[in-house]
Amino acid sequence: MQQRKIIINIGRQIGSGGRVIAKMLAEEFGATFYDKELLNLAAKESGFCEKFFEQNDERKGFFRSLFHTHIPLLGDNNFYTNDFSQESLYRFQCEAILKAADAGSCVFVGRTADYVLRDRKDIINIFITANIDERIARVAERHQFDTDKARKYILDGENQRASYYNYYTGKRWGSSESYDLCINSSLLGIEETGHEIASIIKKRFDIQSER
């Protein structure tokens, strides 16, 4: 399908199927998919070890202290000598998002990509929810948790995710005014929700499908 360059940003509740839908959309529109892949890209662009991006992924909790000495965070012979904080990692991640968006059509999952790319005209920002019982069931199956542990995993993870998003964007994670489209995947199921979102995106960007 011949199509224009577009950027799709997906926010999601844990267990909502948001990541699965994001991958469906990337395939549908021939876009590059970025979830954890973005951490690797940010690490390569910055020279920082990828594990530091992983450890602070979508978490606002700042390091207990800042480092003021040479530390072996970088590859090869390179060292970072300035104050090192989560803001440093966030800045590098933002730069990676901007570079990826300039390179071609992308689907970004989380990581405030909607805010980082807020001045672009070729974006659509989507938030995917689902009923809590379905989310608990998916998380329990995925991680082999019991119901209570799955619920706690969701609540803790979403508190971290919201704190991170709210802090860096000044907006409210999951609040409808922060997105162009909010949709509950429990209504139609994950696959059909993906199809409906794709249809809306085609209308939004006036994309003619050959299918």
Side-chain angles (χ1 to χ4, degrees):
M1 176 168 49
Q2 187 70 29
Q3 53 209 4
R4 57 185 288 185
K5 177 180 170 183
I6 60 173
I7 309 296
I8 303 167
N9 299 313
I10 301 291
R12 73 286 181 219
Q13 288 185 314
I14 295 173
S16 66
R19 187 177 190 277
V20 174
I21 292 170
K23 293 198 78 170
M24 290 173 57
L25 295 173
E27 182 177 352
E28 173 73 21
F29 293 101
T32 304
F33 176 80
Y34 291 103
D35 185 10
K36 296 291 186 182
E37 295 82 357
L38 185 63
L39 307 182
N40 177 263
L41 180 62
K44 288 180 178 178
E45 291 297 317
S46 66
F48 280 93
C49 177
E50 187 176 350
K51 72 176 181 179
F52 286 94
F53 290 92
E54 292 174 350
Q55 290 170 352
N56 295 277
D57 187 24
E58 292 193 299
R59 295 180 176 87
K60 188 186 74 69
F62 297 100
F63 294 109
R64 296 296 182 184
S65 63
L66 301 178
F67 297 91
H68 298 280
T69 58
H70 292 286
I71 47 178
L73 303 178
L74 311 180
D76 300 323
N77 297 321
N78 200 359
F79 288 90
Y80 188 75
T81 57
N82 296 323
D83 286 353
F84 178 66
S85 69
Q86 190 175 30
E87 280 91 342
S88 301
L89 300 183
Y90 182 73
R91 178 167 53 85
F92 287 125
Q93 183 172 273
C94 290
E95 291 171 357
I97 290 171
L98 290 166
K99 184 172 182 178
D102 285 340
S105 293
C106 300
V107 176
F108 292 106
V109 178
R111 296 169 185 85
T112 74
D114 60 318
Y115 179 74
V116 175
L117 302 172
R118 62 193 179 280
D119 293 328
R120 298 182 67 106
K121 303 299 183 184
D122 53 357
I123 68 170
I124 185 166
N125 302 316
I126 299 163
F127 192 83
I128 299 171
T129 70
N131 297 344
I132 185 62
D133 289 343
E134 289 187 18
R135 296 195 289 127
I136 289 172
R138 289 194 188 106
V139 168
E141 180 179 4
R142 183 189 311 152
H143 297 286
Q144 298 300 299
F145 291 161
D146 61 29
T147 298
D148 289 341
K149 190 171 182 179
R151 183 186 296 274
K152 185 177 187 304
Y153 178 91
I154 289 171
L155 293 176
D156 290 348
E158 291 186 350
N159 282 338
Q160 290 178 341
R161 192 172 286 176
S163 181
Y164 176 93
Y165 181 90
N166 297 350
Y167 178 84
Y168 284 111
T169 69
K171 301 193 295 179
R172 289 179 58 205
W173 179 80
S175 181
S176 60
E177 61 263 27
S178 296
Y179 309 92
D180 299 312
L181 172 67
C182 296
I183 189 166
N184 185 331
S185 64
S186 296
L187 296 177
L188 300 175
I190 290 176
E191 185 173 355
E192 190 60 32
T193 297
H195 292 325
E196 290 299 316
I197 293 174
S199 177
I200 291 171
I201 291 172
K202 289 172 186 176
K203 292 177 182 178
R204 160 71 174 83
F205 293 106
D206 193 25
I207 295 171
Q208 301 300 316
S209 175
E210 296 178 357
R211 299 181 181 180

